[in-house]
């Protein structure tokens, strides 16, 4: 039975342009490329699911193929759906751990001292490598000792003092690993007269999708759509997020691969820099302190896919003193949990090698990117510090001691 | 969000326009709905290859000089000879700055060899396809070998050789064919026939097996003075690998354009995009402009598929969305449509009259000349018949020319893209 939700494979002209731009196909001959794995093989799989082959696992869902496609074929969606419809392998405990970011985050922050030390210990990494198949070379992001949610509950500023309100979807990374970035968002929005509310959100679902937990991802989607819609009604403002991948999920993965009706929130979600760009144009005075740094900007794949790179570039351009250098947009390789899997790790590092060279050629003081997992990968590849664009804005907004320069 | 100029379409015309504007210091953004037709092109730029009677033209500028009388609505006539010359020389310089050398036969056309062994009149070719050395060698009647690698499905040397042998220019040159076994190692043991030109190109980009390939060429074509190879000698590495192969074999080697994705076209795409980035231009891939807002006879802003309800404003806009293949023109059951602004496309009322009687019809196909009609200043007429002050059209979206029959597609894209940029600068009061 043909599922009529995504018959875009029928628009494929077989031009093979997607395969030219596929970072995985470039790195390894084991992946036959998005055209063959996606629209080509989909025809066969519809006829006979037995015809599925395990090269699907190499797709990192970076969506560069969709960005390159001249015919609007949702290639990555076809591959992702096929992966979990036709090709079910046994689930590894590792994939469960990587997929469930809120569960890991809960324990990670509760036991931050222990977990961070263990994750850095050679013997633990060695055992994880052997038994769990998480490569020992890949550094783990550190857990924070307290969550963003807790900070916001105890110390979050009252949103009602501001003329405008926005609902902030902070995501798991801000909650469990980098609450400081969440505070940067709150401060920058406050400087522009926008008060922040948060909801009792769950993980956006991207790591669940990537590891085959589609039912759970759908539950998260329904929970988030309902909670965000209600909060946005109360706030009378938009829903913003500073994670490019969370934004992509809320806007496109929910109605796409998860087939959840997100119309209650779809038009109200804005990636943060899209929300900020016009407001900063009206209020350049809030960026009071220069940030005299040369930064290399890496545009994450999912931000590129949703057409958001223009906004971040625009926002960076407004920061006084900043010298932003735009890198050619190429995948960093990590693709969320992909680069944490031992069998895929060499591919992830091979994909990232080009980006590393380009960054080092710029000789930047810092690297800037919108995506947390890109940031981990780039820090690991280059040894340079990587920050979110909103952190640069926060330095300029707050001025004084908060800036590292 | 506001730009000085927003270019809709990231192909040959759009990138040429954007480069000229970036050079003039304009803040320019290019929106591209997927990768452009350059990925399907030969990498040669045609200017004017065939006259309306089907005769090959050797002196394209002579033909262009006579064009206003012959085809008054032709896009070339909106540019003028001087602008066309300036556009070509600008384009060649921009490519050269990124290491892509384009060869021209003075102001005359030359022929490049297609994968089917036909000779196509063209103006610029990458110097790996045609150059002075090849040009001179042809005078001597060289022995030519056309080779491919074993198992490569996308190129058939026997077919190419059979056509070439019939061609008057090759009467002095014996043409042989052969196969080389590519000594490239594939760690999966995957049979070599699964490799596309792009896969082989990547192996050469890593400088793998150059010596062995040279030895294989010598074995396959010991007598040949000149060897034609399908264009797979690397995306960036060709500039190193090709001279090295020639040195090791002692033969002249030229590249033959292959089926898409075309490496020769990709090299040009890369060169233009690198150059644009270097000049501070912004390229947004993967987003489609779907409409615009008109205020007081001007296009104020456009909206895109992915950008959502927020609009992108600019002082000037250039529509370079390409033809049917790129989605710049759409054929509906009863009419032709320009999908972004709903611009008027004049076509035969009966659909059956849109096409010629045969696929390779000597009279070509009427639909190839359909497109957006403009005034003298490349401004398309809106549905009410009037042009907007700040919207220009360039490239394959334009009406009034037949890129296939005339062999003029690349030249029209470069010339009208460049002309549109000059018109924008003129409008701003710049004397370019």
């Amino acid at each position: 039975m043909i599922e009529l939700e995504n018959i875009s494979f029928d628009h494929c002209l077989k031009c093979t342009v997607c395969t030219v731009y596929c970072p995985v196909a470039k790195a390894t001959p084991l992946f036959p490329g998005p055209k063959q794995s996606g629209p080509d093989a989909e025809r066969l799989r519809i006829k006979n699911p037995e015809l599925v082959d395990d090269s699907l696992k190499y797709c990192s869902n970076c969506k560069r193929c969709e960005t390159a496609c001249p015919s609007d074929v949702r290639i990555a969606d076809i591959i992702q759906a096929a992966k979990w419809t036709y090709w079910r392998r046994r689930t590894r405990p590792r994939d469960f751990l990587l997929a469930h970011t809120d569960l890991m985050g809960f324990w990670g922050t509760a036991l931050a001292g222990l977990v961070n030390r263990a994750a850095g210990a050679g013997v633990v990494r060695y055992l994880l490598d052997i038994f769990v198949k998480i490569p020992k070379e890949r550094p783990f992001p550190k857990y924070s000792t307290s969550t963003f949610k807790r900070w916001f509950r105890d110390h979050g500023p009252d949103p009602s003092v501001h003329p405008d309100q926005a609902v902030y979807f902070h995501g798991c990374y801000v909650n469990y690993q980098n609450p400081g970035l969440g505070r940067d968002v709150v401060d920058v929005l406050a400087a522009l007269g926008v008060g922040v509310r948060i909801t009792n959100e769950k993980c956006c679902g991207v790591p669940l999708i990537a590891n085959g937990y589609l039912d759970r991802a759908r539950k998260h989607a329904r929970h988030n759509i309902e909670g965000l819609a209600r909060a946005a009604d109360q706030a009378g403002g938009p829903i913003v997020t500073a994670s490019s991948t969370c934004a992509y999920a809320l806007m496109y993965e929910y109605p796409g691969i998860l087939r959840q009706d997100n119309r209650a929130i779809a038009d109200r979600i804005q990636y943060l820099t899209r929300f900020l760009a016009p407001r900063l144009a009206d209020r350049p005075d809030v960026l009071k302190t220069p940030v005299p740094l040369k930064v290399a900007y890496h545009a994450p794949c999912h931000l590129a896919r949703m057409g958001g790179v223009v906004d971040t570039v625009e926002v960076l351009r407004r920061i006084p003193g900043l010298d932003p250098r735009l890198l050619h947009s190429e995948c960093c390789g990590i693709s969320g949990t992909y680069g944490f899997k031992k069998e895929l790790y060499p591919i992830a590092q091979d994909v990232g090698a080009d980006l590393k060279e380009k960054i080092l050629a710029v000789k930047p003081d810092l690297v800037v990117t919108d995506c947390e997992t890109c940031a981990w990968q780039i820090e690991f590849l280059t040894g340079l510090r990587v920050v979110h664009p909103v952190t640069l804005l926060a330095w300029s907004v707050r001025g004084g001691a908060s800036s590292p320069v | 969000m506001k730009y000085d100029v927003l270019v809709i379409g990231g192909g040959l015309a759009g990138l040429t326009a954007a480069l000229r504007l970036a050079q003039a210091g304009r803040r320019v953004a290019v929106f591209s709905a997927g990768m452009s037709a350059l990925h399907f092109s030969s990498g040669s730029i045609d200017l004017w290859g065939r006259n309306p009677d089907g005769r090959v033209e050797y002196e394209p500028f002579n033909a262009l000089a006579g064009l206003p009388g012959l085809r008054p609505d032709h896009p070339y006539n909106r540019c003028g000879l001087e602008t066309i010359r300036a556009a070509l020389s600008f384009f060649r310089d921009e490519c050269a700055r990124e290491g892509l050398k384009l060869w021209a036969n003075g102001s005359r056309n030359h022929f490049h060899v297609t994968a089917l062994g036909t000779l196509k009149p063209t103006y610029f070719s990458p110097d790996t396809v045609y150059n002075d050395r090849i040009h001179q060698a042809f005078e001597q009647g060289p022995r030519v070998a056309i080779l491919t690698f074993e198992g490569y499905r996308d190129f058939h040397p026997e077919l190419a050789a059979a056509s070439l042998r019939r061609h008057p220019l090759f009467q002095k040159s014996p043409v042989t064919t052969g196969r080389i076994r590519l000594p490239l190692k594939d760690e999966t043991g995957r049979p070599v026939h699964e490799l596309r030109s792009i896969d082989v190109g990547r192996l050469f980009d890593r400088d793998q097996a150059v010596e062995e390939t040279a030895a294989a060429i010598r074995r396959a074509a010991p007598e040949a003075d000149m060897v034609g190879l399908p264009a797979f000698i690397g995306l960036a590495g060709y500039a190193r690998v090709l001279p090295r192969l020639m040195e090791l074999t002692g033969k002249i080697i030229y590249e033959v354009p292959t089926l898409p994705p075309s490496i020769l076209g990709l090299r040009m795409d890369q060169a233009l995009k690198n150059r644009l980035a270097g000049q501070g231009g912004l390229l947004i891939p993967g987003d489609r402009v779907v409409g615009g807002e008109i205020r007081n006879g001007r296009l104020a802003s456009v909206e895109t598929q992915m950008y959502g309800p927020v609009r992108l404003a600019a002082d000037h806009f250039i529509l370079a969305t390409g033809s049917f293949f790129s989605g710049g023109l759409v054929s509906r059951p009863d009419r032709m449509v320009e999908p972004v602004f709903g611009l008027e496309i004049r076509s035969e009322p009966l659909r059956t009259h849109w096409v010629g009687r045969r696929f390779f019809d000597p009279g070509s196909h009427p639909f190839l000349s359909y497109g957006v009609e403009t005034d003298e200043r490349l401004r398309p007429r809106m549905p009410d018949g009037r042009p907007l002050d700040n919207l220009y059209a360039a490239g394959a979206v334009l009406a009034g020319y037949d890129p296939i029959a005339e062999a003029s597609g690349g030249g029209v894209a470069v010339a009208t893209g460049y002309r549109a940029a000059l018109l924008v600068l003129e409008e701003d009061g710049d004397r370019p």
Side-chain angles (χ1 to χ4, degrees), chain B residues 116-372:
Chain B
L116 291 175
T118 57
L119 295 183
K120 192 162 182 279
T122 192
Y123 187 70
F124 283 140
S125 280
D127 80 337
T128 57
V129 170
Y130 210 96
N131 55 43
D132 286 332
R133 228 179 126 197
I134 295 173
H135 197 62
Q136 283 150 19
F138 252 108
E139 311 286 316
Q140 321 297 323
R143 287 160 298 184
V144 178
I146 302 177
L147 305 182
T148 186
F149 67 86
E150 260 178 40
Y152 181 50
R153 289 180 300 187
D154 290 346
F155 183 63
H156 302 282
E158 294 77 13
L159 186 62
S163 333
L164 285 181
R165 286 185 194 119
R166 286 201 298 268
H167 202 281
L169 282 179
F170 277 77
Q171 293 315 308
K172 280 193 291 177
S173 293
V175 181
T176 58
T177 61
R179 291 184 146 59
I180 53 175
R181 184 183 289 268
L182 270 188
L184 300 166
K185 289 176 194 69
D186 177 347
E187 58 256 55
T188 63
R190 193 156 59 139
V192 79
H193 66 261
E194 282 195 16
L195 294 182
R196 286 170 290 260
S197 52
I198 184 78
D199 302 314
V200 183
R202 279 170 184 153
L203 296 167
F204 281 116
D205 279 340
R206 295 175 187 184
D207 295 286
Q208 288 175 11
V210 178
E211 276 79 10
E212 294 93 318
T213 304
I217 292 172
R218 279 201 306 269
R219 276 196 301 277
E223 306 286 315
D225 307 304
M226 197 183 279
V227 171
L229 283 183
F232 54 59
I233 316 175
L235 265 180
Y238 69 96
R240 295 187 306 272
V241 174
L242 192 61
R244 183 86 185 117
L245 282 177
M246 288 203 261
E247 191 187 312
L248 290 168
T249 56
K251 300 174 192 301
I252 296 174
I253 299 176
Y254 67 92
E255 292 187 291
V256 182
T258 59
L259 288 181
S262 156
I263 286 192
L264 291 163
L266 271 162
R267 287 180 196 153
M268 186 170 278
D269 175 79
Q270 288 295 307
L272 297 174
K273 285 176 180 167
N274 285 341
R275 182 78 187 132
L276 182 65
Q279 301 265 63
L282 186 60
L283 177 80
I284 306 299
D287 202 359
R288 187 180 293 275
V289 173
V290 292
E293 188 193 4
I294 294 159
R295 249 185 273 136
N296 305 327
R298 291 180 78 83
L299 183 61
S301 63
V302 292
E303 65 180 300
T304 75
Q305 204 170 49
M306 303 302 283
Y307 205 80
V310 186
R311 286 173 172 277
L312 295 146
D315 290 332
H316 305 275
F317 295 84
I318 296 175
L319 181 73
T321 43
S323 180
F324 300 97
F325 179 77
S326 305
L329 301 172
V330 175
S331 129
R332 296 266 156 78
D334 57 334
R335 68 204 160 99
M336 295 283 180
V337 187
E338 186 287 310
V340 180
F341 301 108
L343 301 171
E344 191 189 340
I345 308 294
R346 205 187 308 157
S347 63
E348 297 287 336
L350 266 181
R351 191 185 165 88
T352 46
H353 295 168
W354 294 353
V355 291
R357 297 168 80 86
R358 283 188 289 163
F359 189 77
F360 292 110
D361 202 295
S364 192
H365 297 286
F367 78 84
L368 287 167
S369 307
Y370 295 168
V372 166

Side-chain angles (χ1 to χ4, degrees), chain A residues 168-299:
Chain A
Y168 172 40
F169 185 92
H170 49 72
C172 300
Y173 169 67
V174 162
N175 198 33
Y176 301 114
Q177 279 143 340
N178 192 357
L181 174 57
R183 292 198 290 272
D184 291 342
V185 172
V186 172
D187 286 357
V188 170
L189 288 172
L192 290 162
V194 180
V196 168
R197 292 163 182 261
I198 64 170
T199 66
N200 184 29
E201 65 179 53
K202 287 187 191 297
C203 166
C204 67
V206 163
L208 293 164
I209 296 169
N211 292 285
Y213 297 90
L214 260 61
D215 287 336
R216 180 150 289 274
R218 279 188 205 102
K219 272 188 203 145
H220 283 214
R222 284 194 290 271
H223 172 94
N224 287 335
I225 292 167
E226 200 197 312
L228 290 170
R230 200 176 332 114
D233 283 341
Q234 285 163 7
I239 302 156
V240 297
T241 174
S243 162
S244 46
T245 291
C246 294
Y248 189 84
L250 296 171
M251 285 195 269
Y252 298 107
E253 301 283 36
Y254 284 8
I257 190 168
L258 297 180
R259 297 189 190 138
Q260 299 299 307
D261 181 355
N262 73 339
R263 279 174 298 180
I265 58 169
D267 283 348
R268 296 198 260 183
I269 304 161
Q270 290 191 17
Y271 177 67
L272 187 70
T273 54
R274 174 153 309 170
F275 179 75
L276 293 176
R279 283 162 184 81
L280 287 171
D282 293 342
R283 293 282 315 279
D285 56 294
V286 302
L287 298 172
K288 42 184 187 249
T289 310
V291 183
L293 295 172
K294 176 159 83 172
V295 300
Y297 172 62
H298 165 66

